[in-house]
Amino acid sequence: MKEYIAHVRVDNHCQSNEEHLIGTSDLASQFAADFQCENWGALLGLWHDIGKYSNVFQNYIRISAGIIEDAELSGKVDHSSAGAIYAVKRLPQLGLPLAYCIAGHHAGLLNWCNEPGISGNLESRLQKDSIDQIPVSIIEQLNKLDKSLTLPFRFSEGDIHLWIRMLFSCLVDADYMDTERFMQPENYVKRAGFDSLVTLKQRFDSFMETLSSSAQPSLINIKRSEVLDKCRKAGLLHQGIFNLTVPTGGGKTLSSLAFALEHAIKYDKKRIIVAIPYTSIITQTAQVFRNIFGNDNVVEHHSNLDGDTLSAKQKLATENWDAPIIVTTNVQLFESLYSNRSSHCRKLHNLSHSILILDEAQMLPIEFLKPILSSLNTLVELFDVTLLCTTATQPVLSGKIGSREAMFTGFKREVTDIVTNAAELTKDFKRVTIELPEEINTVTSFDEIAEELKKYEQVLCIVNTRKESQNLYSKMPETTLHLSRMMCSAHILDTIKVIKEKLLNNQPVRVISTQLIEAGVDIDFPIVYRAFAGLDSIAQAAGRCNREGHLNKKGLLGKVKVFNSEKGIPPGYMRKSAGVLKELLLIDKHIDLLSPLTMTKYFEGAFSQVNNFDKPDIKDLLWKDERNMKFQFATAARDFKLIDDAGSKSFVVRYNEGADYIEMLKNKGPEFWLMRKLQHYTVSVREADFKELVKYGHIECFYGIWVQTDSNLYNSKAGVVLSDQWISEVFIL
């Protein structure tokens, strides 16, 4: 071959493979320099596509681009194994981390060894024949770099797999970026030009000054100001792990931003990343940030994101999080940290030198707590991340967690409490009284609860399952509103908007909901009913009651009334944690349920009831044989799913615009933009119910996507209603 080609543009202009390797190497080296691995990044860039020097690949790309005419393609060509083989041959001691990244830079990080149901593994890929026609100019550069390669850190358990994933991220992003620079230069230039964090801090300070000057004098606002001041001062302290425990309504969102901006300027951090439990509240938080910092500086990234609302710069930044402020979900963040897919891992290197804010930290999924805290420890220790956990009900995440065989160590570093007078603040922010059943196990029927709820003009009732929600809702007046995951995301957001408007205008509004409303949804009811559950759930329900303290101005408090549902408490962690709360109440019925001391006792007790903090068995997949660098990346990615959809199936419903999008699907097929739209109109049901819907023709399939056909299947208020039966207890939200 006279010229080895890497890419061909539509104008038939070619990028040489040498140009692509050097360009990718330069970018990957820059990215990896953030964690002292610039030589590793440089080698990955130089070696990742040396498989393109084969005559087989060069024929393939020329035929694909039409440079060679009247020839047929004989299938795809493996060009990624060659670099992996070369890495292991050149560096027998250090080549495997490079090999994982290079072999997987398109298809994703591979398992080391074969596993049924998962295609491909690195062990077998390394047995393939390599190529021997790499140009002398590339060989000369390789000789300079690989001699200086050393392991950059003293690794602890659970560190190495994430370090490899970070290197993989550098390579994937660099490969995409260099390819984009050649193939789509108009997109490449759009990626630059975000405002600096110094500029964003100036905007924030100006915003807070205006907010403070317009605030009415009150004890609550004085305490909010004190919390804000403590956060600003804490931002100037050391790097590491911080905790902000403030009662609901204490201004956690803005105060945590104040901490992050002060810290970012002092320690030259690159970005602020805010992770939030649910998509139902992420949009409201992102909009607050956009109002302060400007639209393009804030990137909102989650599964329900509507691409039509994003600017061109924002769309590009969702690919690699190359923006000053990222607002995302726990699912997006933590599943990416254990993903093997190149598109999911591409952004990970941009976590380095960042400030990570975990909002509502008590919502971290218990069965994944061990691998989650492991990844957070690694980010802090090796990748210069400062972590801030914010919550009104701080769980115990330090020291020994759990008991017996399930026990493990949480945060390795000492956690700095920004607010040291949490107990005092709890009293200052007291807005509710919690009314428990006179006898702790007394059961109240839904008929009785419904009659009580009808007495109030504005009332929220939160129950534990979808089935309970629809059951109780069916007993309420027609004007009652309903919230559960039997409604699609678009329907949920519309309903929350209606609830907020009615509360703001002091109109009657009764709501029956599952606990999806508890984690940060900014609503304010004078009275809230809560089915018995763990103390963290009851405390979160209390955060939806008298949230703004309006009743305090009248010398009153909101009321949270806890009742035992006729359906009992669902099995698993919810039932166990509720049992821990009942034990605390048996010891002292008058215990202050919302005090930090009670919360600590509760979480220690609840965690002691957990049998497994590592449901996907990450320890065996990624930690057990890490000294030999034998990782099951693909299996770990498959099993690390924070939202358990096993035993459930999804379909698109005809709620509002969902009906139009279903017709477009039928007529046009599954175009990318349409698939993103359809996500907003999807509902999951248990597999047995799904089969019944298929059997009786209530849903049908187009292009592999199931859609609602029976107009009676979806109710404009309650969502999916399944014939004469109620929804399975399996579905909690």
Side-chain angles (χ1 to χ4, degrees):
M1 293 289 177
K2 292 183 178 180
E3 181 184 28
Y4 291 97
I5 297 171
H7 301 106
V8 182
R9 274 202 311 245
V10 291
D11 61 2
N12 285 331
H13 185 65
C14 298
Q15 181 189 36
S16 73
N17 201 41
E18 184 172 350
E19 178 188 354
H20 175 55
L21 294 184
I22 293 172
T24 303
S25 177
D26 288 343
L27 287 172
S29 179
Q30 292 174 36
F31 298 156
D34 279 347
F35 47 96
Q36 301 85 52
C37 288
E38 53 267 39
N39 285 347
W40 289 84
L43 272 183
L44 284 169
L46 282 176
W47 292 1
H48 81 289
D49 270 359
I50 61 176
K52 290 185 177 180
Y53 284 115
S54 72
N55 290 332
V56 175
F57 180 84
Q58 290 301 314
N59 283 328
Y60 170 81
I61 194 170
R62 282 168 164 79
I63 294 171
S64 298
I67 297 173
I68 298 177
E69 298 178 349
D70 300 324
E72 292 185 2
L73 293 172
S74 57
K76 289 189 176 182
V77 177
D78 173 14
H79 71 273
S80 59
S81 293
I85 296 166
Y86 189 84
V88 173
K89 285 186 175 180
R90 287 292 298 264
L91 299 166
Q93 301 300 317
L94 298 176
L96 273 180
L98 299 169
Y100 277 112
C101 297
I102 294 169
H105 75 272
H106 285 301
L109 290 166
L110 296 165
N111 281 344
W112 167 252
C113 59
N114 183 54
E115 180 163 324
I118 294 181
S119 61
N121 62 83
L122 185 61
E123 187 178 34
S124 63
R125 290 276 286 273
L126 293 177
Q127 307 306 313
K128 290 187 174 185
D129 294 331
S130 60
I131 61 171
D132 55 5
Q133 53 202 61
I134 305 170
V136 174
S137 60
I138 295 295
I139 292 291
E140 289 175 349
Q141 293 189 58
L142 303 184
N143 287 336
K144 294 177 184 177
L145 286 169
D146 64 11
K147 293 176 183 177
S148 61
L149 208 64
T150 58
L151 290 176
F153 310 113
R154 171 178 279 181
F155 294 108
S156 299
E157 182 184 62
D159 287 344
I160 298 179
H161 80 90
L162 186 51
W163 170 65
I164 292 175
R165 225 180 290 267
M166 284 292 204
L167 290 174
F168 180 61
S169 171
C170 293
L171 172 61
V172 169
D173 196 23
D175 186 23
Y176 274 117
M177 294 276 280
D178 186 73
T179 302
E180 182 180 77
R181 180 164 51 189
F182 174 75
M183 299 291 287
Q184 298 172 295
E186 68 283 0
N187 280 348
Y188 184 80
V189 297
K190 291 177 184 176
R191 292 184 179 274
F194 294 107
D195 291 328
S196 70
L197 286 172
V198 172
T199 299
L200 299 188
K201 183 179 180 300
Q202 292 170 351
R203 290 181 190 165
F204 178 79
D205 290 343
S206 176
F207 173 84
M208 293 306 294
E209 186 176 341
T210 301
L211 189 65
S212 177
S213 63
S214 62
Q216 295 295 321
S218 67
L219 175 63
I220 294 297
N221 284 331
I222 291 172
K223 294 301 176 181
R224 283 174 176 166
S225 180
E226 290 177 2
V227 171
L228 178 66
D229 185 58
K230 289 181 179 180
C231 284
R232 290 188 191 278
K233 291 177 179 177
L236 302 176
L237 298 177
H238 55 83
Q239 302 182 78
I241 304 176
F242 291 80
N243 169 42
L244 178 60
T245 302
V246 178
T248 299
K252 290 192 299 296
T253 300
L254 294 177
S255 292
S256 62
L257 266 185
F259 166 88
L261 288 165
E262 294 286 353
H263 199 75
I265 303 304
K266 181 173 176 64
Y267 291 104
D268 195 28
K269 300 292 188 183
K270 292 192 171 183
R271 59 189 48 82
I272 298 167
I273 301 166
V274 182
I276 295 172
Y278 294 138
T279 55
S280 56
I281 59 174
I282 190 173
T283 301
Q284 69 182 24
T285 302
Q287 188 56 53
V288 170
F289 292 176
R290 283 192 288 266
N291 292 341
I292 299 172
F293 301 116
N295 193 54
D296 279 351
N297 292 308
V298 179
V299 169
E300 182 182 349
H301 190 196
H302 52 89
S303 61
N304 282 339
L305 188 64
D306 188 345
D308 290 350
T309 65
L310 301 181
S311 68
K313 185 188 291 288
Q314 287 175 315
K315 286 180 181 179
L316 292 170
T318 59
E319 297 172 353
N320 65 353
W321 286 7
D322 186 17
I325 297 178
I326 307 294
V327 186
T328 189
T329 58
N330 288 350
V331 171
Q332 182 69 233
L333 172 66
F334 291 114
E335 288 192 3
S336 294
L337 284 168
Y338 285 93
S339 178
N340 70 323
R341 291 177 58 184
S342 55
S343 59
H344 290 177
C345 292
R346 178 181 177 181
K347 57 184 172 285
L348 291 182
H349 72 91
N350 278 325
L351 287 168
S352 184
H353 289 311
S354 72
I355 299 161
L356 175 58
I357 300 174
L358 284 186
D359 191 33
E360 305 288 357
Q362 80 285 346
M363 297 300 295
L364 293 175
I366 299 301
E367 292 177 315
F368 294 81
L369 198 57
K370 185 175 181 179
I372 283 176
L373 295 188
S374 173
S375 65
L376 292 174
N377 277 323
T378 303
L379 289 174
V380 171
E381 296 299 326
L382 303 188
F383 299 101
D384 194 34
V385 170
T386 286
L387 174 65
L388 173 62
C389 297
T390 76
T391 177
T393 55
Q394 181 65 50
V396 179
L397 300 178
S398 299
K400 296 297 182 183
I401 297 175
S403 63
R404 300 178 296 277
E405 293 80 8
M407 182 182 289
F408 73 102
T409 301
F411 290 138
K412 296 177 181 177
R413 285 200 186 186
E414 183 177 349
V415 178
T416 301
D417 287 311
I418 294 176
V419 172
T420 56
N421 61 335
E424 183 182 320
L425 273 182
T426 300
K427 294 178 181 177
D428 292 333
F429 280 88
K430 185 175 177 63
R431 297 186 178 117
V432 302
T433 58
I434 298 179
E435 183 180 312
L436 298 163
E438 286 190 19
E439 296 296 329
I440 199 65
N441 293 314
T442 300
V443 172
T444 307
S445 71
F446 283 148
D447 287 329
E448 292 173 299
I449 292 296
E451 289 306 311
E452 287 191 37
L453 297 176
K454 292 173 186 177
K455 297 175 183 177
Y456 301 100
E457 291 288 295
Q458 294 183 333
V459 62
L460 166 66
C461 182
I462 304 172
V463 291
N464 290 325
T465 68
R466 297 179 179 188
K467 181 175 182 179
E468 288 181 329
S469 180
Q470 286 201 350
N471 197 338
L472 179 55
Y473 174 74
S474 69
K475 301 176 184 298
M476 294 295 294
E478 189 177 345
T479 54
T480 304
L481 297 176
H482 173 263
L483 283 171
S484 86
R485 292 292 176 191
M486 292 306 280
M487 301 155 63
C488 64
S489 295
H491 194 175
I492 290 171
L493 292 174
D494 286 346
T495 304
I496 290 174
K497 182 179 179 180
V498 171
I499 293 168
K500 288 183 175 182
E501 288 174 350
K502 286 183 176 293
L503 289 171
L504 183 64
N505 296 321
N506 200 29
Q507 296 174 331
V509 55
R510 301 184 184 97
V511 180
I512 309 298
S513 177
T514 61
Q515 69 258 42
L516 72 82
I517 204 169
E518 288 178 348
V521 178
D522 189 9
I523 56 173
D524 184 1
F525 281 86
I527 183 166
V528 172
Y529 278 63
R530 183 59 169 93
F532 207 103
L535 180 55
D536 49 340
S537 295
I538 292 172
Q540 287 300 315
R544 310 317 119 201
C545 183
N546 194 24
R547 184 180 180 88
E548 299 301 323
H550 296 310
L551 294 176
N552 294 62
K553 298 173 184 178
K554 303 176 184 178
L556 303 172
L557 294 174
K559 183 170 71 172
V560 177
K561 184 167 182 177
V562 180
F563 65 95
N564 287 300
S565 165
E566 64 183 39
K567 297 294 183 180
I569 302 172
Y573 179 71
M574 183 180 289
R575 183 177 293 176
K576 290 179 179 179
S577 62
V580 171
L581 174 55
K582 288 188 176 183
E583 288 178 8
L584 290 175
L585 291 170
L586 288 173
I587 296 171
D588 181 2
K589 188 175 182 179
H590 302 290
I591 191 172
D592 183 356
L593 292 177
L594 300 182
S595 75
L597 180 60
T598 303
M599 284 292 172
T600 299
K601 290 180 180 178
Y602 163 75
F603 276 112
E604 287 176 346
F607 285 177
S608 72
Q609 300 293 311
V610 178
N611 297 324
N612 187 6
F613 292 96
D614 182 15
K615 180 182 177 182
D617 199 16
I618 294 300
K619 182 176 178 65
D620 277 353
L621 296 172
L622 299 177
W623 302 350
K624 185 174 69 174
D625 206 9
E626 60 186 353
R627 288 186 178 275
N628 296 316
M629 305 252 181
K630 294 180 179 179
F631 304 102
Q632 296 296 89
F633 283 113
T635 305
R638 180 197 66 190
D639 295 347
F640 193 94
K641 299 297 181 186
L642 299 191
I643 298 177
D644 186 5
D645 56 4
S648 67
K649 296 282 188 179
S650 300
F651 60 94
V652 183
V653 298
R654 293 179 171 273
Y655 171 76
N656 287 358
E657 291 181 325
D660 297 330
Y661 293 134
I662 287 174
E663 294 307 312
M664 291 180 192
L665 173 68
K666 292 179 179 179
N667 296 327
K668 297 183 178 182
E671 297 179 6
F672 179 76
W673 70 270
L674 182 57
M675 296 298 291
R676 295 303 298 263
K677 292 288 188 183
L678 291 173
Q679 288 181 0
H680 298 276
Y681 300 91
T682 299
V683 174
S684 295
V685 298
R686 62 174 183 157
E687 195 164 357
D689 289 329
F690 184 89
K691 289 178 178 178
E692 290 295 305
L693 295 176
V694 174
K695 178 180 178 180
Y696 291 104
H698 299 307
I699 59 176
E700 57 183 337
C701 189
F702 294 93
Y703 303 100
I705 301 166
W706 289 91
V707 302
Q708 173 191 350
T709 52
D710 179 359
S711 60
N712 295 318
L713 179 60
Y714 196 85
N715 183 283
S716 61
K717 290 186 177 180
V720 173
V721 179
L722 300 174
S723 63
D724 296 329
Q725 59 183 315
W726 293 110
I727 298 91
S728 168
E729 295 282 5
V730 171
F731 291 98
I732 303 299
L733 293 178

